[in-house]
Amino acid sequence: MSAAVVLLALAALCALSLGTPTVPPVRLPGALLGEGARGGEAGFEALVVRQIRVPRLLLALTAGACLGAAGLVLQEALRNPLAVPEMLGVSSGAAIGIAAPLVLALSLPAWLHPMLAVSGAAAGGVLTLIAAGFGRSPAAVLLTGAAVNAALQGGLLVLMVMADQLDLQLIYRYLLGSFSGLTWQSWTGVWPWPAASVPLLVLCAPVLAVLRLGDEDAGALGVRVRRARMAALAVAVLLIAPVVAVCGPVAWVGFLAPHLARRLRPRAGVVRVLPWTVVWGAVITVWADQAARLALMPVETPVGAWTALIGVPAGVALLRTGRRGDRRDGPRRLRYGSEGAGRGPGRFRSLPGVRYARGGDRRRGRAHAGARTVPARRPRHRR
């Protein structure tokens, strides 16, 4: 995981140094401290770094961290690796909450925009859960979320048809996701929401670890599954909506960051994976923003296009390698429960979902340590 921290530090250095003007790393401390702010080349560099690049970097870090954490929450709550904000109507609902007042020419203060995004994201997520029977089946929630997302995308297309030429360009660029033109005012409107979501996320992580066991086992341990899923959705909405309100729906970060964190820490639980998911989300978003700024200079491309270009092949590769690992590990996990099931008179019954230990414990039919202990039927010896 030190690689993620190094990549994040390099991305932050590139975000502050590269561009027009290029600020060498040796002059960055002076630019950050405002030295030479009265005029000249040093003053111009200090103005660009402090007023444009620093707030943009902070927003990219916050957006990536929030989207990565929200993706992990949704995937663990629904027990589906494909559960992402873009597939559950959350991001599209937040986008409608921002685009509708713009098209309808409603004059609203800037501080109200995150509230509109939260309302739209909550409406999209709740609509998905209601249509899916409040999460009775995780697969049903995912499929229903895809249908709700398609309906909300249709609503966005209707708004784009109603918009004039200027609003249409703004909405189109917003829907692709971009950090262009964001200032300290944008950062001021975003940071309180993730700060308020951190305690909720810390409280939600142990519950997600229990939900990973399945609905029946989680209910047997005292967890109210439906309420837990609703709470997880609420936390995800609070993480996603403020980001979407400012920079638009940046796709694939919530999908790729949890998979990278799990791939690099395959035996870790949700509580340990969560911090590294946040780090990898920030890494992906900041590097994608550098590609958006510098790849086609002086033209700046939307950051959402780069996250999609990176996320689609990387996500497919991670899923394929994960499936190969499951196939390799599958016989090893099941070997102890089925090894003696069909052999001669001394066979014992192997129960599904129970992993048996080696040696004498296997012969006595005792389950492996950490699993449920189930005694098997005593062997019958033929005379």
Side-chain angles (χ1 to χ4, degrees):
M1 280 304 145
S2 59
V5 178
V6 172
L7 288 174
L8 188 60
L10 288 176
L13 181 62
C14 293
L16 296 177
S17 298
L18 301 180
T20 306
T22 300
V23 182
V26 294
R27 294 211 298 263
L28 270 180
L32 291 172
L33 295 175
E35 296 178 3
R38 295 182 179 180
E41 182 180 358
F44 180 64
E45 290 178 354
L47 179 65
V48 170
V49 170
R50 297 182 65 184
Q51 299 300 324
I52 297 177
R53 295 182 183 175
V54 171
R56 180 167 181 160
L57 174 62
L58 291 176
L59 284 167
L61 291 171
T62 305
C66 291
L67 292 174
L72 179 66
V73 168
L74 293 175
Q75 290 176 15
E76 294 294 338
L78 299 178
R79 303 200 315 277
N80 195 315
L82 300 178
V84 290
E86 295 81 18
M87 290 290 292
L88 296 175
V90 177
S91 296
S92 298
I96 285 182
I98 296 298
L102 180 63
V103 174
L104 299 176
L106 299 178
S107 180
L108 299 174
W111 60 267
L112 194 58
H113 289 175
M115 298 291 295
L116 295 174
V118 169
S119 301
V126 171
L127 182 60
T128 299
L129 285 183
I130 291 175
F134 287 95
R136 293 180 180 177
S137 172
V141 173
L142 188 62
L143 295 175
T144 307
V148 171
N149 183 67
L152 294 175
Q153 290 287 342
L156 285 171
L157 291 177
V158 171
L159 291 175
M160 293 175 69
V161 170
M162 296 171 57
D164 57 18
Q165 189 65 27
L166 180 59
D167 291 341
L168 180 61
Q169 293 180 0
L170 293 175
I171 293 174
Y172 182 73
R173 191 171 187 84
Y174 167 78
L175 292 178
L176 291 177
S178 177
F179 297 106
S180 177
L182 300 181
T183 60
W184 284 110
Q185 184 178 3
S186 304
W187 164 250
T188 304
V190 168
W191 75 265
W193 296 88
S197 303
V198 169
L200 301 177
L201 191 61
V202 172
L203 294 175
C204 184
V207 180
L208 294 176
V210 179
L211 286 178
R212 179 185 283 188
L213 302 175
D215 292 355
E216 294 182 359
D217 293 338
L221 292 174
V223 176
R224 298 182 179 181
V225 177
R226 293 189 183 181
R227 292 187 180 182
R229 286 211 175 98
M230 289 292 291
L233 177 64
V235 173
V237 165
L238 290 178
L239 290 169
I240 296 168
V243 173
V244 176
V246 173
C247 61
V250 182
W252 290 96
V253 178
F255 170 78
L256 189 57
H259 283 283
L260 278 174
R262 291 195 199 97
R263 181 65 178 170
L264 296 175
R265 295 182 65 89
R267 298 184 181 275
V270 179
V271 178
R272 294 185 178 181
V273 169
L274 179 59
W276 298 113
T277 302
V278 170
V279 173
W280 278 112
V283 169
I284 295 168
T285 307
V286 175
W287 276 112
D289 186 40
Q290 304 320 302
R293 285 197 312 123
L294 306 173
L296 300 177
M297 286 182 63
V299 178
E300 184 170 330
T301 53
V303 67
W306 291 96
T307 55
L309 288 174
I310 297 171
V312 173
V316 171
L318 287 173
L319 288 176
R320 289 177 64 89
T321 54
R323 289 175 182 175
R324 291 196 194 103
D326 291 342
R327 284 196 294 267
R328 286 195 303 266
D329 295 340
R332 194 178 304 132
R333 289 195 302 266
L334 298 176
R335 181 177 61 196
Y336 306 135
S338 58
E339 195 174 51
R343 291 185 181 176
R347 65 188 180 190
F348 63 90
R349 178 180 298 178
S350 60
L351 301 179
V354 177
R355 187 158 55 103
Y356 291 90
R358 293 179 181 271
D361 287 339
R362 180 176 63 82
R363 287 192 295 269
R364 290 193 298 269
R366 295 286 178 179
H368 185 68
R372 184 176 51 185
T373 303
V374 180
R377 182 181 298 175
R378 290 185 178 180
R380 297 178 180 178
H381 300 279
R382 294 181 181 178
R383 295 181 179 178

